[in-house]
């Protein structure tokens, strides 16, 4: 960490007391000596010097998603988007439970860290994950059994170099969906619709504007659901 120990919280200080080696106050390149891979915390910029040096040395650079999936490969239903992903993961978990499936919500802005849920839950429990662009950028090993991208609007300009970079990180989830899985995409959002070209799996569409051809769509008139059976 760039901060010294006295500026970090008690949990970080507790690590030192448990025998964990802490490298603080900077990112010396010597901390790469003898390591097998580097795990990057979500929110750390991918272009910092330490990570550039790791790649130059051909040391794999992994994110939380990759590490979790390497340690505990299991079905994950993953949701991302600029707005609405928190609501969507809890709604999806509720619907899955009503259908008789055991599931838990984890990830990004939820009450549970994703890697902890993937490691500790029984194999028959489906993890419904809220994923941010920070978690998705640079991820390569993780695979989602099902994914959903809600929308992509300008955000996190302090972290991503451009909107295109931010959008590409969101679209990474489609590429990371297993070939025998399904990606659910918003037909009304042109950026999200473009992600279909990156899919290696089946794509299902939803539309709030009633777009023809969408697997689920809203239409004006009496309350009913069109083409929503799955």
């Amino acid at each position: 960490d760039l901060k010294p120990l006295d500026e970090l919280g008690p949990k970080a200080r507790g690590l030192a007391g448990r025998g964990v080696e802490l490298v603080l106050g900077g990112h010396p390149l010597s901390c790469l000596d003898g390591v097998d891979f580097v795990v990057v915390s979500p929110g750390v910029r991918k272009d910092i010097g330490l990570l550039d040096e790791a790649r130059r040395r051909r040391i794999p650079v992994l994110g939380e998603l990759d590490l979790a999936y390497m340690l505990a490969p299991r079905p994950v239903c993953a949701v991302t988007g600029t707005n609405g992903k928190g609501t969507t993961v809890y709604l999806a978990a509720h619907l899955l439970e009503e259908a008789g499936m055991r599931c838990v919500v984890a990830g990004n802005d939820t009450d549970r860290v994703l890697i902890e849920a993937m490691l500790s839950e029984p194999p028959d429990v489906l993890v419904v994950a809220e994923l941010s662009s920070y978690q998705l950028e640079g991820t390569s090993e993780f695979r989602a059994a099902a994914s959903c991208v809600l929308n992509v609007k300008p955000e996190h300009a302090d972290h991503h170099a451009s909107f295109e970079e931010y959008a590409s990180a969101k679209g990474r989830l489609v590429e990371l969906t297993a070939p025998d899985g399904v990606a659910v995409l918003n037909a009304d959002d042109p950026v999200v619709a473009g992600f279909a070209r990156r899919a290696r799996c089946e794509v299902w569409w939803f539309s709030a504007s009633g777009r023809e051809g969408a697997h689920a769509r809203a239409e004006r008139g009496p309350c009913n659901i069109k083409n929503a059976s799955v």
Side-chain angles (χ1 to χ4, degrees):
D1 200 287
L2 292 175
K3 295 180 180 179
L5 186 60
D6 58 4
E7 292 185 22
L8 298 175
K11 290 185 178 180
R13 291 192 290 271
L15 292 174
R18 300 172 68 175
V20 177
E21 179 186 356
L22 302 181
V23 180
L24 305 173
H27 297 148
L29 300 185
S30 60
C31 68
L32 294 174
D33 296 343
V35 305
D36 296 312
F37 57 88
V38 178
V39 180
V40 184
S41 176
V44 173
R45 290 183 61 90
K46 63 182 181 180
D47 58 356
I48 64 173
L50 183 70
L51 299 183
D52 287 340
E53 175 64 14
R55 298 185 188 98
R56 190 190 70 78
R57 298 188 191 185
R58 298 185 179 179
I59 299 173
V61 177
L62 310 176
E64 177 201 4
L65 296 181
D66 285 336
L67 181 64
Y69 199 74
M70 288 169 61
L71 294 174
R74 60 184 302 144
V76 176
C77 175
V79 178
T80 196
T82 304
N83 305 115
K85 54 186 178 292
T87 302
T88 302
V89 293
Y90 283 104
L91 174 61
H94 171 74
L95 294 174
L96 289 166
E97 288 173 345
E98 289 294 306
M101 296 184 66
R102 297 178 63 196
C103 60
V104 295
V105 171
N108 193 40
D109 195 21
T110 69
D111 296 329
R112 197 164 183 188
V113 177
L114 178 59
I115 191 169
E116 184 274 327
M118 291 181 67
L119 286 171
S120 63
E121 289 294 336
D124 63 330
V125 174
L126 175 68
V127 177
V128 183
E130 178 188 339
L131 302 183
S132 69
S133 61
Y134 294 178
Q135 293 171 294
L136 288 164
E137 66 175 351
T139 299
S140 59
E141 303 299 324
F142 171 78
R143 292 293 179 270
S147 65
C148 177
V149 185
L150 301 170
N151 47 65
V152 178
K153 309 298 179 186
E155 194 176 52
H156 298 309
D158 58 330
H159 180 84
H160 297 285
S162 64
F163 173 71
E164 288 73 22
E165 181 181 285
Y166 168 67
S168 180
K170 291 292 192 184
R172 188 84 184 105
L173 179 56
V174 178
E175 297 177 0
L176 295 170
T177 305
D180 59 349
V182 61
V184 181
L185 303 180
N186 183 357
D188 298 330
D189 186 309
V191 176
V192 175
F195 294 160
R197 295 189 295 270
R198 301 165 67 171
R200 293 176 294 174
C201 61
E202 185 176 0
V203 174
W204 294 351
W205 299 97
F206 70 91
S207 170
S209 68
R211 191 180 296 268
E212 288 293 331
H215 295 77
R217 63 182 187 269
E219 295 184 354
R220 293 183 180 276
C223 181
N224 58 72
I225 299 175
K226 299 288 187 178
N227 299 332
S229 60
V230 295

